[in-house]
Amino acid sequence: MTYLAQELERTENRFNLTQRQIKGNKLVRKKKDQGAGGRALTEQVASQGIWYARMSLGNPPQEIEVDLDMLVSDFYVVTTTSRSGSRFDDFFSESIIKTSESPCRDCKISTDLLYLPTSNTSMLLSFPQCRPSKFSLHTLEPSGSLLGLAPSEHLSQTGSTSLFDQLIDAGAIKRQIFSLMLINGQDGVISAGGTVAKAVDSVIAQTEAQLNSLGSAEKEIVAAKPPDRAKDLAPLVKRAKGKHGHEILSRQADWEESWAWTRVQGAEGWWQVLMRGVWVDGSKVLQNQAVVIDVSPDSAARKNLADLDQINSPFILAPPLAAKAFYASISGSRPLPPPYSNFYVYPCLNPPTLHFEFAFTNFPFMQGGRGAEWSGIPGGKLSLGRLRPGSGYCVGAVVETRMGIKEERDEVVQGEKRGSRSVGGRGGLGGNGMRDVWVIGEGFFRGVGGIFDFKERRVGFRAY
């Protein structure tokens, strides 16, 4: 439980790196200070447990692993003196164009050829290339790259033009959208400019056909390895120590109508939408809940973890009242005493059937995971594991978060000390705005596809 409590604190800290500000006539999220709230850019790349895509940069092409982050919006490359990680060495690129423009500390704007996945085409891409000082400890960090997927330029850490804006300008994609689905704990599908629907359906059909023709021992091998045809499809893989998932690729340009769409709400910056309902065992127990979508765990916190597989899936963060109502609908569940009062347990032999409702459509929650090793985990897919060895209670992945509450209280106190009702005195306008907001991510997208539309500011869902 100590490990889980530490992980929860680190997860919550990712959302405390921004604050809400009034920009013109709208409310936006902005980073608090340089380097994403004080973290160096090197601390956000090449970490364990992160979903990444493979791309090629430079001439001759150098393959790089690009980490995905849904809370920032820029694309940048970090090159350190360390030989670990995924390194882009500009010395070996004949096509690179360097400038003296410095958007942030230790970074210079460069332009080079980007080769689009599963395509023979390339385009000139402008990006910050960051090199920590040789006198800094950050130069010993792994090299890597990061692709921000947040729908707002205000969350750029480097002030550079986003990758999607450049893809549109170059005519590489027609629509400023991306879609993703996580097949299991190691493999996924991502598509820029289109949807993954046909690619995923194709892979699933092939896998199921092979499973039906094999014995039980062979089925485990096929479930863990995608069919050969998937090699023709854009990469999304989860990084883990000593092992990597298989690539399942897609460059589908199709525009499907079979998606349930919901508008992005709240302060501009993150993919925040309205969840119409939470269903437990066929009963609607919560309705009209604000949700932030984030499939990227805390990269900075996970660099030194000994084993990422200690938990079966990332947390689903729920506000206090929502968490209480959620577990009150599960027979036999109860909260743990302090200092672990954010966590709830339920009988391992009584796992619930869960659905989240978006756009008046119910989607299965913690019921995906084709090819994932769920069978050996007590308490079903909602479980983070037994409370203790031999216990009949399992720790639930839906965890109570108090983000926004303490921060707003601190701002009110500071406002009173200043003797004015400024931003702090108005109840947390300058805070992260995460009070009464859920955070859903990897656990939900196993078996559910998502499509994210930058221009129309909407998110679509589809069950597979």
Side-chain angles (χ1 to χ4, degrees):
M1 289 305 302
T2 301
Y3 167 79
L4 292 178
Q6 292 173 345
E7 282 298 284
L8 174 60
E9 181 179 3
R10 291 163 178 159
T11 301
E12 292 177 335
N13 284 342
R14 298 186 69 241
F15 297 89
N16 291 327
L17 302 178
T18 64
Q19 60 186 0
R20 295 176 298 168
Q21 295 181 4
I22 296 177
K23 189 77 171 179
N25 61 349
K26 58 184 177 182
L27 189 64
V28 302
R29 297 185 188 274
K30 299 189 69 174
K31 60 186 178 64
K32 287 185 177 178
D33 48 47
Q34 189 66 27
R39 289 194 313 182
L41 298 181
T42 52
E43 294 179 338
Q44 303 172 58
V45 299
S47 301
Q48 303 298 318
I50 299 297
W51 289 96
Y52 68 89
R54 288 192 178 101
M55 300 182 184
S56 293
L57 192 62
N59 182 28
Q62 301 178 41
E63 186 178 81
I64 58 174
E65 296 176 357
V66 184
D67 295 353
L68 306 183
D69 193 329
M70 300 188 74
L71 302 187
V72 299
S73 61
D74 41 3
F75 172 79
Y76 61 84
V77 175
V78 175
T79 304
T80 67
T81 57
S82 171
R83 289 296 171 182
S84 60
S86 174
R87 180 183 177 87
F88 171 70
D89 199 328
D90 55 6
F91 178 81
F92 297 105
S93 177
E94 300 175 357
S95 56
I96 192 166
I97 303 172
K98 300 181 180 180
T99 71
S100 59
E101 182 182 351
S102 179
C104 60
R105 182 180 177 182
D106 298 330
C107 299
K108 296 291 181 66
I109 295 294
S110 298
T111 301
D112 210 338
L113 289 173
L114 172 70
Y115 297 85
L116 302 179
T118 72
S119 171
N120 295 324
T121 61
S122 61
M123 58 168 282
L124 282 176
L125 176 71
S126 176
F127 59 93
Q129 185 175 12
C130 306
R131 294 180 180 273
S133 167
K134 294 182 179 180
F135 303 101
S136 169
L137 290 177
H138 294 306
T139 195
L140 302 178
E141 299 280 353
S143 298
S145 306
L146 184 139
L147 172 58
L149 299 173
S152 173
E153 61 181 9
H154 300 294
L155 288 176
S156 171
Q157 303 173 92
T158 61
S160 58
T161 305
S162 73
L163 174 62
F164 281 89
D165 285 339
Q166 295 188 61
L167 289 174
I168 287 288
D169 292 341
I173 59 176
K174 295 181 179 180
R175 300 178 180 87
Q176 200 171 12
I177 63 174
F178 74 93
S179 60
L180 61 84
M181 177 190 170
L182 309 180
I183 302 295
N184 52 42
Q186 294 293 322
D187 312 303
V189 184
I190 186 169
S191 174
T195 76
V196 301
K198 291 184 178 179
V200 174
D201 289 342
S202 174
V203 171
I204 292 172
Q206 293 175 67
T207 302
E208 291 179 347
Q210 292 186 35
L211 287 174
N212 292 334
S213 64
L214 297 175
S216 58
E218 296 170 304
K219 285 183 179 181
E220 297 181 2
I221 299 175
V222 174
K225 181 179 180 180
D228 292 338
R229 185 178 171 185
K231 296 178 182 178
D232 298 328
L233 302 176
L236 185 58
V237 188
K238 189 172 184 179
R239 185 181 296 113
K241 285 191 175 181
K243 60 182 180 180
H244 294 270
H246 304 285
E247 292 184 13
I248 301 179
L249 315 179
S250 171
R251 195 173 183 274
Q252 296 293 332
D254 55 287
W255 188 247
E256 298 288 334
E257 297 294 333
S258 56
W259 298 80
W261 292 97
T262 182
R263 291 286 179 182
V264 173
Q265 302 181 346
E268 179 183 309
W270 294 335
W271 297 104
Q272 180 175 326
V273 298
L274 179 66
M275 180 167 60
R276 293 283 180 179
V278 177
W279 296 74
V280 178
D281 292 330
S283 299
K284 191 172 186 177
V285 299
L286 288 164
Q287 61 181 355
N288 297 333
Q289 303 286 303
V291 167
V292 168
I293 301 172
D294 177 32
V295 298
S296 46
D298 184 8
S299 58
R302 294 179 180 267
K303 283 181 179 288
N304 299 318
L305 290 181
D307 185 4
L308 286 171
D309 296 327
Q310 295 181 55
I311 59 176
N312 119 14
S313 68
F315 301 122
I316 299 294
L317 305 183
L321 293 179
K324 290 178 174 63
F326 175 81
Y327 282 103
S329 64
I330 302 175
S331 178
S333 63
R334 58 180 174 84
L336 292 178
Y340 308 119
S341 55
N342 295 74
F343 296 90
Y344 287 74
V345 294
Y346 64 95
C348 296
L349 297 179
N350 185 34
T353 300
L354 306 174
H355 291 81
F356 285 169
E357 180 184 348
F358 294 97
F360 304 103
T361 305
N362 285 2
F363 295 92
F365 165 51
M366 293 289 190
Q367 297 177 40
R370 295 181 177 86
E373 299 175 358
W374 295 104
S375 56
I377 299 174
K381 301 168 187 177
L382 177 64
S383 170
L384 295 175
R386 294 187 185 274
L387 177 60
R388 60 181 64 89
S391 172
Y393 282 91
C394 290
V395 182
V398 175
V399 178
E400 180 180 322
T401 178
R402 291 146 196 174
M403 286 191 297
I405 299 176
K406 179 179 182 299
E407 188 176 33
E408 289 186 8
R409 183 175 65 246
D410 292 344
E411 289 184 354
V412 170
V413 172
Q414 292 173 7
E416 291 175 350
K417 288 182 179 180
R418 291 194 297 266
S420 64
R421 292 188 61 81
S422 59
V423 170
R426 288 198 298 269
L429 175 61
N432 61 11
M434 291 301 292
R435 181 169 182 166
D436 299 326
V437 177
W438 289 62
V439 178
I440 65 173
E442 181 176 333
F444 176 69
F445 284 97
R446 294 181 184 177
V448 174
I451 183 168
F452 301 82
D453 191 333
F454 290 91
K455 183 178 179 180
E456 300 296 333
R457 290 180 53 81
R458 58 179 182 168
V459 179
F461 300 96
R462 173 182 168 177
Y464 291 98

